[in-house]
Structures are given as C-alpha cells and as structure tokens.
Amino acid sequence: PDEMAVKMLLSAIKTRVADSDLPCEMSKFLSTCMQPVLPEGLKLDFKSTSYKKLSKFFSTMEKKKLVKCKTVFGLDSIEKVFREHADVVAYQAEERGGGDAGAAAAGGAGGRPSFVQGFKPNNNLLPLLGGTKDTFYTPESLGEAISIYCKANFLVEEDKFKVDSLMLANLYVKFKEEERPALGDLLSRKTLVEHLKEQTSDWYSVTLDAASTPQVRKGTPQKVTVTVEDRQGGRKAATFVHNLEDFSVSPESFCKQVQKKLNTSANFSPLPGKNETRVEVTMQGNLLYEVGALLTKEFKVPPDFISLIDKTKKK
C-alpha cells in the first residue's frame, strides 16, 4: 500500500495536476488527482498504509520535496508539486520505457487488449445484409449494410428508409404485431439498426496486442473479477480471481507473477461443472488492490474490465 500511494502521487504529478489546480485541499487532491490514476474500482485506504493518515503521507512527501504543503483557510492543502524531482523524472522514464504508458492505449500500439462489441445475424437477415451467418457486424457496419440494400432497391426517401416486403418477411417476422411497421413506412437509419440488433446474437472482437489478429468470440466480454473473502471467522482472508481466460492470461503465468511481485503463494483449479473450462486462482491474504494493479500493469488488462469485490467484514 505504501508503494502504491507513492506511485499514485508520482503519476498524478505527471499526468493530472495543472498549476491552475493549486492550491488544492488534500482530500480533494486525493480524489481528483490521485485516485483516478488507479484502475476503476481500486481505492487506496490510507489506514492500510504505514502513514495511517493522508496528512502524514503528504507531510512525508513534503520532506522528500515532491510537494509543498500549506494551510489555506484552515484546510491542509497542496500548494505546489515538483515535476523536476528525480523520482518524477524516473517515473516518466519508466513509463516511456514500456511500464504504465500502455494504460492509455487500447490494443495495438500500447499493447493493451481492445474490445469491439458487435453482432452476428440470424439466417433471416442474410438477404438484407449481404453477408454470411459468420459475418461480424458493429452497429456502424450494420447501418452501412442496410443502407446499401435500401439504396440498391430504391428505398431511400428524405434520408429515411422505406419498409419493403422483404423486410417484413425477414426482419420483422418475429416482432409483435403492434411493434411491426407497415409496408411503406419510413424509418430512420438509427431505428432500423436497432431493429436489426434485436434479431442478432451478441459477439465481440478482441485484439490482445499489436502483433495479434482480432479474435471474434460469442457473447459479451467478461470482466476479470478479483474477490476477497474472510476465512477462519474473519481472522484471515483469501483472494480469488476469475475470467482470466477472456484476456488470454495464462493461469500459470499469472500465479508466477503473483509469487514474484506480491511475494505470496498462488494456485489455480478448474471451476466445478461438466462443461466448465474456466479456472479459479486462489491466494492467501487480502490482495484486492495489489492484484488489480498487477492485472493492469503486468497483463495489460484494461481498468474498465477489472471488477474488485470486497466481501470481508468491515471492522
């Protein structure tokens, strides 16, 4: 936790703090400048650090000449940050060398997985869309496909599309009578795309890194869930990780990194179920925030796809 707090500050100084933001009350500085640099769902409780209090942390950072503190209208505040500090410069160099810089990138250049949510059509839609049942569509490409059909069949009037008999027979065949348009009705492209989406199945495309080709998978992308639970009546805790498979993270590699980076043991086992192919990773101790940070930094899992769940009893 202490190391995480310092890295949050260094990242905030580098990426989020403008001179116009200062002076800034300490708790506001934490919530608006430091907390947002963590993956979604991560939140550092300073009571879990050796500093215990936010004011003590900033007092220590002031002694290291990373910040300058001042009392403004009776509130402990950050008056200045020192971007030229050696630790800030070193942190920037680490990012440029391939550390956390990928956090802002999506697939490709940053090396972080990117996701595109889309659809595959049922057989009824093929005459309208012109593809096959294996064609992967995004909302934009669905709109393009139906536009091509309507233009080819002279169904475009005043930027709207006229419903023809083929649409009624293929697209609207499963619609309730009261929701089905009439022959010749004019619909916007947006409305028509929404109707098409109702007759498709959810798929998504994932690109793991710049060297990978997109992989199309059924369903919607699952978040990696990190859960911490009490054990032995609350005297101990255990941390569990699920859904590594959606990001092609090897459980073996993940466990090795946990042992190396977090200095604790980790093991994995198949989830119960005859047709279940996923695994559960188990670690001793409350490692909720540490595992979240590890997933983002070492395995390039986007913060939006990490879910942190704390099931421990609050003391």
Side-chain angles (χ1 to χ4, degrees):
D2 286 13
E3 182 182 1
M4 182 183 294
V6 174
K7 285 190 174 183
M8 288 168 63
L9 176 60
L10 295 175
S11 182
I13 292 174
K14 174 191 180 296
T15 63
R16 302 192 66 88
V17 183
D19 291 338
S20 59
D21 296 329
L22 304 174
C24 181
E25 192 268 324
M26 288 181 179
S27 62
K28 183 180 179 181
F29 188 92
L30 173 65
S31 62
T32 61
C33 298
M34 292 175 61
Q35 189 63 46
V37 307
L38 291 177
E40 182 182 7
L42 278 179
K43 185 176 181 180
L44 179 63
D45 183 356
F46 270 82
K47 292 180 181 179
S48 67
T49 69
S50 63
Y51 305 106
K52 301 301 181 185
K53 294 183 178 180
L54 189 59
S55 58
K56 185 176 180 181
F57 168 74
F58 281 121
S59 177
T60 303
M61 296 302 104
E62 184 175 36
K63 291 177 182 177
K64 293 184 176 182
K65 301 190 183 301
L66 279 165
V67 299
K68 183 178 180 181
C69 303
K70 183 180 180 180
T71 301
V72 180
F73 300 115
L75 299 174
D76 291 334
S77 305
I78 305 300
E79 181 184 27
K80 186 176 181 180
V81 298
F82 296 95
R83 298 180 179 85
E84 69 280 7
H85 191 284
D87 288 352
V88 176
V89 174
Y91 186 81
Q92 291 173 329
E94 176 185 340
E95 287 193 328
R96 287 194 296 270
D100 293 337
R112 196 168 282 235
S114 65
F115 293 85
V116 177
Q117 291 186 261
F119 321 91
K120 284 191 178 183
N122 60 34
N123 288 331
N124 285 342
L125 298 182
L126 300 185
L128 299 173
L129 301 178
T132 72
K133 62 183 180 64
D134 291 321
T135 302
F136 176 77
Y137 291 96
T138 64
E140 294 77 16
S141 61
L142 268 181
E144 288 300 318
I146 197 63
S147 294
I148 292 172
Y149 170 81
C150 290
K151 289 175 182 177
N153 291 277
F154 307 101
L155 300 173
V156 181
E157 291 186 14
E158 300 177 355
D159 295 327
K160 291 192 175 182
F161 300 148
K162 184 187 294 186
V163 176
D164 69 353
S165 58
L166 190 62
M167 290 185 194
L168 288 178
N170 291 54
L171 170 57
Y172 293 108
V173 63
K174 295 183 179 180
F175 276 58
K176 296 179 180 178
E177 185 174 354
E178 62 270 19
E179 297 176 352
R180 188 183 305 135
L183 182 67
D185 279 357
L186 293 177
L187 303 177
S188 68
R189 170 169 162 161
K190 180 179 179 181
T191 298
L192 200 49
V193 168
E194 289 302 314
H195 291 169
L196 286 165
K197 286 163 60 176
E198 291 181 33
Q199 303 304 311
T200 61
S201 55
D202 289 329
W203 289 70
Y204 66 97
S205 171
V206 56
T207 303
L208 297 174
D209 54 47
S212 301
T213 56
Q215 302 175 23
V216 178
R217 302 173 179 174
K218 190 172 184 178
T220 57
Q222 299 291 309
K223 290 186 177 183
V224 176
T225 60
V226 185
T227 307
V228 61
E229 298 179 0
D230 283 324
R231 288 291 183 267
Q232 298 183 14
R235 294 190 298 274
K236 292 186 178 181
T239 303
F240 306 92
V241 180
H242 300 94
N243 298 331
L244 292 174
E245 297 83 358
D246 279 0
F247 297 85
S248 295
V249 175
S250 162
E252 293 94 339
S253 297
F254 181 77
C255 289
K256 287 179 180 179
Q257 284 295 317
V258 167
Q259 293 166 359
K260 179 181 178 181
K261 300 291 185 179
L262 304 183
N263 195 30
T264 188
S265 62
N267 56 75
F268 65 92
S269 58
L271 288 171
K274 183 178 180 180
N275 298 318
E276 183 61 70
T277 60
R278 297 172 180 263
V279 301
E280 175 183 75
V281 176
T282 306
M283 294 152 282
Q284 296 302 312
N286 186 338
L287 301 171
L288 191 66
Y289 304 136
E290 292 86 345
V291 169
L294 183 73
L295 285 165
T296 299
K297 183 173 182 179
E298 300 296 333
F299 295 97
K300 311 304 180 188
V301 178
D304 288 346
F305 288 92
I306 300 175
S307 177
L308 302 179
I309 305 170
D310 188 349
K311 292 186 176 180
T312 58
K313 295 179 181 178
K314 307 301 180 183
K315 296 181 180 179

